[in-house]
Each structure stands twice: as C-alpha cells, then as structure tokens.
Amino acid sequence: MNILLIGSGGREHALAWKLAQSRLCTKLFTAPGNPGIAEHAEPVALDVTDHEAVIAFCETQRIGLVVIGPEAPLVDGLADSLRHACVAVFGPSQAAAQLEGSKGFTKDLCARAGIPTGGYERVTSEAEGLAAIARFGAPVVIKADGLAAGKGVTVAMTLSEAEAAVRDIFDGRFGAAGAEAVVEEFLEGEEASFFALTDGHTVVPFASAQDHKRVGDGDTGPNTGGMGAYSPARVLTPELEAEALSRIVVPTVQTLANEGMPYSGVLFLGLMLTSTGPQLIEYNCRFGDPECQVMLMRLESDLGELLLACAENRLGAIEVPRFSDDTTLTVVMAANGYPDTPVKGGAIRRIDAAEATGAKVFHAGTAIVDGELVANGGRVLNVTARAASVAQAQERAYAAVDAIDFPDGFCRRDIGWREVARERA
Ligand code: AMP
Ligand code: GLY
C-alpha cells in the first residue's frame, strides 16, 4: 500500500519512521515533509489547502491511506474531502475536529455527556467576559475559543490579569479565533497527556506522556509547543487511565457518534489529575508534538495497521496496541530566540555522532541549504532515547544532545524532572 503523510514537524518524522517499518507500507510520500522525513518518504509539493489537488495525487499514486499529522488541515476539512472521494484517511472530520477547533464546543459536549471538567461560561463580548470573571473570582482561566497556536489560554492568578486577558481577546489579538471565549474554573493538580485511538465506535487506549510546555528549566518562562516529553507518564496510574477512558473518552466518542459526527483518529486528552480524579483540560484532534515521538518509540505494534484500522472502521477486529515497558524521553533542541523570534539558518552538525550513542534524532524545523543542514523553525530537533528508567533515558538523551553541534540552538536541561524525582524518592 502507498501512504501519504501530511505535515513537516518532529511528530511527522516519528510517524514516517514508524510507518516506513509497517508491513503494509510499499511506498511512503510526504507533503511537505522535512529533511529527516525525506530519509523515509518521497517529498511531494502539494498545497494541502487545495483538497482537489490532494485527491488527484492520491488517485494518480494509488494512495491506500492518508495520515494527517497537524490540526490545521483537519479543522479545514481535508479528511472529509478525502473520505468523500473514497480515500482512506486517518484523522477526524471537520465536525469532530471541533473538539480542538472550538473550546466552547468541547465544554458544551462535556456538559451534555457528564464528562468531568472545570465549570465554565461561554462569552461573546468583553462585557460578558468581565462579568463572568467577576463571578468566578481569581484564580481563573480565560481561553480564546478557536485555534491560537497554543497562545490563546491565560491562567490568571489575579482578577486584573484575567481582565487584561479578556480585553486582549476581544480587542482582536487572536483574530477570528477570539470572536468568542471560554471563562473556566481553575483546576489544581499535575498535568498528564493521554491518547486513545478510535474508529468512531471502538475505543482503544494508546499511551500516556508528559510534556514540558514552558521554555525554561524548572517550568519557567513563556509557553511553547513543548520543550520535551517522556512516556509513559507513570503519574497516570492504570486505575486513573481506566477512569479517563471510561468517564471521558468513551462518553465523548459515544456522544459524537449519537449526534451524527463520529470521531475517527486519535484523541489527545490534556488531563489535570485533581484530588477528585482526572478532569479534562482540553482535547486535541491529533498526536501531540513531541509526545508522539516518545510514544512511537515505545510502540511495538504495526502503526500502519492501527491507523488503517481506524480509517476503515475496524479497530475492534485487530489486536490492541502493544508498548514496551521502557521509558522514552525526548529533548527538544530549539533555535535561539524561540518561542518569540527564533533565529533561522543556524548550522547543525554531528547528528550521526548523536545517533551513534543509540539515540534517535527526529527533525522538526530543519532544512538543507547549500548542502548543509540548518535550523528552519522554532523547534528544530527532538533527541530521543529509551531506557529501563526515566533517569537513564534522561542521561542517554542528554549525552546525545551534547554530541550535536548546533551553536545557535538551546534546550532545557531538566526534561523528565518530576518523574526522575519520583523515581529517586
Ligand atoms: P490548553 O491550551 O487548553 O491546553 O491550556 C494550556 C495550559 O493552560 C494547560 O496545559 C494548563 O497548564 C493550563 N490550563 C488550561 N485550563 C486550565 C484549568 N481549567 N485550570 C488550570 N490550568 C489550566
Ligand atoms: N505538545 C503539545 C501539543 O502537541 O499540543
């Protein structure tokens, strides 16, 4: 089977690496890909917002499965267009992708389905927003409704911070994504990410991970797309995972199916592990980046088979995903200036030396210019290692990081710190 993978980040490099190992994969194409992905897939110049062009490519190349990595094409309805043209696709419809595309949609769905999540109000003007935060009191959380590249959420510890966040949204800082907002109860606890696969009816647990969103050591500085992750997140015990599955994922999938918008693909749950159990912070309609990299390094099952079974609505007929008991850990190397103004063009050398240590280096924002590998984005490399313990995986990942020559880049030095501390306790 020929497979087309859409996307260009570290998540897609990990997907390409694993799909290329699938017994179902004859040839892998990627649009647009990156230099790391190009080691496993043939890059094609396709404008993924031009659905007719993607369909025509799939027909010409007899593509048996399209795997959509990022959220933007999903929210844009690419999966619907492909399904309509009878092309098998891994990824939800535009209607179901509202789980990520609209915070208000998700909160209303949770309310209808009785899913544990913070109390909330949807607001459509500054006046409504200010009135809502006055009712909630501080601390309180304010979220632009739509996709805001991870920048639309403010956890306000004071009312004046909350008011500023409401004004920002309705002053148009997030454009159409901020036409509406959600004011939400502040939840306290440790965060963990959990992933489940579904074909719209059958649900199977995938794996857990913990991301590190702040740019600096000790979880300081501005939020980013994620500076590193490890898997599994052992803080999400088997009992808590079962609870998240039965109280959050299953009712979500059932409600969406009953309401005529079955969800097919991966559900990414941002969870807050509170004193009363896991509560949903947010849904994403895709794999996490860099969570995908650490989960796929532990995956022992055939990824192509799993994703095709989701696409073909027969997840119940195949074996559930199997994972190694090892811990995997990835360190994001970012370009200096990230997340605000990453420096492009910095030379990257000695990836082979890093991989000689046994680690795997996934490419995110890289490019080849004049025959040399250079930084071409904020997050540049994901240096990923595995071991029997998180402390050892951390040590191996940093040994590989230290082998890389990337003078215009930086990374956090403490990825995995919560779990390392628990392991030592
Ligand atoms: P989101 O984009 O919804 O994942 O939110 C970004 C981050 O804001 C989350 O990872 C949490 O750290 C934080 N956050 C979101 N909602 C809440 C909440 N209700 N209570 C506490 N923190 C939250
Ligand atoms: N690492 C967080 C995300 O992919 O949204």
Side-chain angles (χ1 to χ4, degrees), residues 17 31 43 73 90 104 106 117 237 247-248 283 288 310 362 392 402 414:
W17 169 71
F90 177 79
T106 300
T117 188
T237 60
R247 296 192 60 198
I248 303 178
Y283 265 129
C310 287
F362 295 112
Q392 204 178 11
D402 291 337
D414 65 344

Side-chain angles (χ1 to χ4, degrees), residues 103 141 143 153 155 184-185 187 191 213 272 281-282:
K103 308 264 185 207
V141 184
K143 302 182 172 182
V153 175
V155 180
E184 191 178 307
E185 175 191 352
L187 299 171
E191 283 181 61
K213 290 195 172 152
M272 190 68 88
I281 301 177
E282 64 159 353

Side-chain angles (χ1 to χ4, degrees), residues 211 213 225-226 268 284 286-291:
D211 191 11
K213 290 195 172 152
F268 168 177
N284 295 308
R286 51 172 173 87
F287 282 111
D289 186 349
E291 293 91 330

Side-chain angles (χ1 to χ4, degrees), residues 159-303:
L159 274 183
S160 61
E161 257 182 276
E163 286 162 9
V166 166
R167 290 204 179 94
D168 237 23
I169 289 175
F170 291 106
D171 278 351
R173 171 151 175 231
F174 303 106
E180 203 186 315
V182 168
V183 174
E184 191 178 307
E185 175 191 352
F186 173 78
L187 299 171
E188 212 154 359
E190 185 167 338
E191 283 181 61
S193 302
F194 177 57
F195 296 79
L197 296 180
T198 175
D199 56 12
H201 305 281
T202 300
V203 173
V204 300
F206 195 69
S208 65
Q210 198 171 47
D211 191 11
H212 299 62
K213 290 195 172 152
R214 303 299 194 95
V215 74
D217 283 16
D219 295 333
T220 53
N223 263 327
T224 69
M227 293 301 292
Y230 65 89
S231 175
R234 293 187 203 277
V235 63
L236 192 70
T237 60
E239 293 72 29
L240 292 176
E241 190 174 304
E243 195 178 330
L245 204 59
S246 65
R247 296 192 60 198
I248 303 178
V249 184
V250 169
T252 299
V253 169
Q254 276 173 353
T255 304
L256 287 173
N258 292 343
E259 295 180 356
M261 38 187 164
Y263 187 102
S264 169
V266 58
L267 274 170
F268 168 177
L269 289 73
L271 295 173
M272 190 68 88
L273 306 179
T274 71
S275 55
T276 59
Q279 301 231 25
L280 183 73
I281 301 177
E282 64 159 353
Y283 265 129
N284 295 308
C285 62
R286 51 172 173 87
F287 282 111
D289 186 349
E291 293 91 330
C292 185
Q293 292 82 312
V294 281
M295 295 192 297
L296 292 190
M297 190 173 269
R298 291 181 49 232
L299 180 67
E300 289 174 343
S301 310
D302 184 312
L303 182 67

Side-chain angles (χ1 to χ4, degrees), residues 12-33:
E12 285 77 25
H13 188 183
L15 286 165
W17 169 71
K18 205 70 190 170
L19 284 171
Q21 296 169 36
S22 168
R23 67 170 187 87
L24 297 180
C25 184
T26 313
K27 182 159 186 187
L28 185 60
F29 294 92
T30 173

